[in-house]
Amino acid sequence: MKVLITCELPDTLTELLDKEQINYDILSNYINAADEYQAMVCINTDLIDDTFLSTHKKLKLIANYAVGYNNIDLIAAKKYDVFVTNTPDVLTTATADLAFTLMLAIARKIPAAMNNAKNGQWKKWEPRGFLGQDLRGKTLGILGLGRIGQSFAKLCRDSFGMNIIYHNRSASAYEYELKASRVEFEELLRESDVLSLHCPLTKETHNIINERSFELMKNNAILINTSRGGLISTDDLLKAIKDNQISGVGLDVTMPEPLEASHELYSFENVLIVPHIGSATHFARSEMARICADNIIHFSKGKPLITAVEI
């Protein structure tokens, strides 16, 4: 068995493969890789589509180094009898922590205050300078109350006593524990003081936050996205920021990704953009690598996959 790895990943992955004497190559130019691999490990920016799968017919397992798998054409995977796995659970806390960090940074005007100090404008203590929002008792809206959404909601409830509302296609089993209320999407937009996105990117959720959404949101609301950039229309977000339709936004993901350094969104002090670091802790990234390796090892031995994606 031979494995294609599309970039350098934590050593946990290759150490486990070496231990099982599974051969692998690390090739950043995976598109032109020879048709000799039975499994591959890819990241969420690698596009695995029908064209790729049609030219790599020996491939039978894709271990995606991410929770989301919108970079993989699941219909094509099924067509070519390719299994797909992901890395759920292990990055839940790390991503929720980052969403919490982004929320606090925007609420307390950290980017603007930091620039003030860095640019030499800080001359004295200003009693009316950089007055932010107090989040205690405010309403937190969650779009997609999955594992990460639940973890973020708990942080906000326990830290600030925030009221939790959410929108899912169906009611969450965690409503009682979180004291959360399920609402329709438009009500979520209207009532949220902080709106945090935690749903997967699908045809239905693509650009779900758009011009109409910003029209419904409070003009002092904070928007947080640690899920997928495609959930938000970038053009509509830019317009909303210019028109002061929302208070600010914290983004770990963008569309496109990466967002060019010259993009106008970077020029606003109530916009905080970080380079997709939701899972960027030593523990989370190492555990993601372990899950990928474990799935490959199980596959090589004919054992059930650990985190198979339903196709």
Side-chain angles (χ1 to χ4, degrees):
M1 183 174 178
K2 199 168 185 181
V3 180
L4 168 63
I5 304 172
T6 64
C7 67
E8 294 283 349
L9 293 173
D11 292 341
T12 304
L13 173 65
T14 51
E15 288 172 357
L16 289 171
L17 295 181
D18 286 338
K19 184 178 180 180
E20 296 293 328
Q21 297 183 329
I22 294 176
N23 297 317
Y24 56 85
D25 291 322
I26 301 174
L27 300 173
S28 58
N29 188 10
Y30 69 94
I31 295 294
N32 297 322
D35 182 21
E36 60 180 351
Y37 299 96
Q38 292 77 47
M40 75 179 296
V41 180
C42 61
I43 60 176
N44 57 20
T45 53
D46 295 329
L47 179 61
I48 310 300
D49 57 11
D50 191 291
T51 301
F52 176 81
L53 293 173
S54 69
T55 56
H56 294 80
K57 294 183 178 179
K58 291 184 180 179
L59 189 65
K60 293 302 172 187
L61 174 65
I62 301 171
N64 205 38
Y65 185 76
V67 174
Y69 40 83
N70 56 288
N71 57 309
I72 301 171
D73 185 336
L74 296 183
I75 295 175
K78 185 174 183 178
K79 173 182 174 182
Y80 295 104
D81 296 320
V82 178
F83 294 101
V84 177
T85 65
N86 64 343
T87 60
D89 297 332
V90 294
L91 47 70
T92 296
T93 301
T95 306
D97 288 350
L98 182 69
F100 193 78
T101 302
L102 292 172
M103 177 185 70
L104 279 177
I106 294 299
R108 294 300 304 271
K109 300 185 182 294
I110 299 301
M114 183 185 70
N115 288 338
N116 177 273
K118 186 172 65 174
N119 296 335
Q121 297 169 291
W122 183 21
K123 303 300 182 183
K124 61 178 181 178
W125 180 68
E126 295 287 349
R128 296 171 63 181
F130 307 105
L131 300 181
Q133 296 188 44
D134 192 328
L135 297 172
R136 287 164 180 81
K138 295 293 180 67
T139 296
L140 169 67
I142 301 283
L143 182 59
L145 196 64
R147 295 182 182 93
I148 297 172
Q150 293 162 27
S151 182
F152 178 61
K154 289 175 184 176
L155 282 172
C156 294
R157 181 202 62 192
D158 294 346
S159 300
F160 297 118
M162 296 181 79
N163 304 308
I164 312 298
I165 60 175
Y166 75 98
H167 178 73
N168 274 7
R169 285 180 296 180
S170 57
S172 169
Y174 292 89
E175 269 192 11
Y176 180 78
E177 179 184 342
L178 294 170
K179 297 181 181 178
S181 300
R182 180 171 175 261
V183 298
E184 294 302 318
F185 179 58
E186 289 196 353
E187 184 177 352
L188 185 82
L189 297 173
R190 285 193 296 266
E191 298 299 324
S192 297
D193 296 302
V194 177
L195 175 61
S196 193
L197 311 183
H198 299 283
C199 61
L201 178 61
T202 65
K203 290 180 180 179
E204 292 73 27
T205 61
H206 180 255
N207 284 350
I208 191 170
I209 304 300
N210 51 39
E211 184 176 12
R212 171 62 175 162
S213 306
F214 292 119
E215 290 172 353
L216 293 173
M217 291 174 67
K218 299 178 180 180
N219 59 15
N220 64 344
I222 295 170
L223 176 63
I224 303 297
N225 189 9
T226 55
S227 184
R228 288 291 182 265
L231 297 175
I232 302 174
S233 167
T234 302
D235 290 341
D236 292 348
L237 172 60
L238 180 59
K239 182 178 182 298
I241 292 294
K242 287 181 174 180
D243 294 345
N244 296 313
Q245 288 182 293
I246 59 173
S247 176
V249 59
L251 303 175
D252 184 41
V253 289
T254 60
M255 180 53 69
E257 189 171 313
L259 199 65
E260 291 187 6
S262 60
H263 198 283
E264 193 174 359
L265 273 175
Y266 288 111
S267 66
F268 297 92
E269 289 188 324
N270 59 341
V271 176
L272 178 55
I273 301 173
V274 294
H276 207 144
I277 60 170
S279 62
T281 68
H282 291 291
F283 173 79
R285 293 280 172 89
S286 180
E287 284 297 287
M288 290 165 67
R290 178 189 60 77
I291 290 174
C292 288
D294 285 347
N295 276 309
I296 290 169
I297 292 166
H298 275 229
F299 183 76
S300 70
K301 296 180 177 181
K303 295 182 179 180
L305 298 172
I306 299 169
T307 57
V309 173
E310 291 187 13
I311 301 178

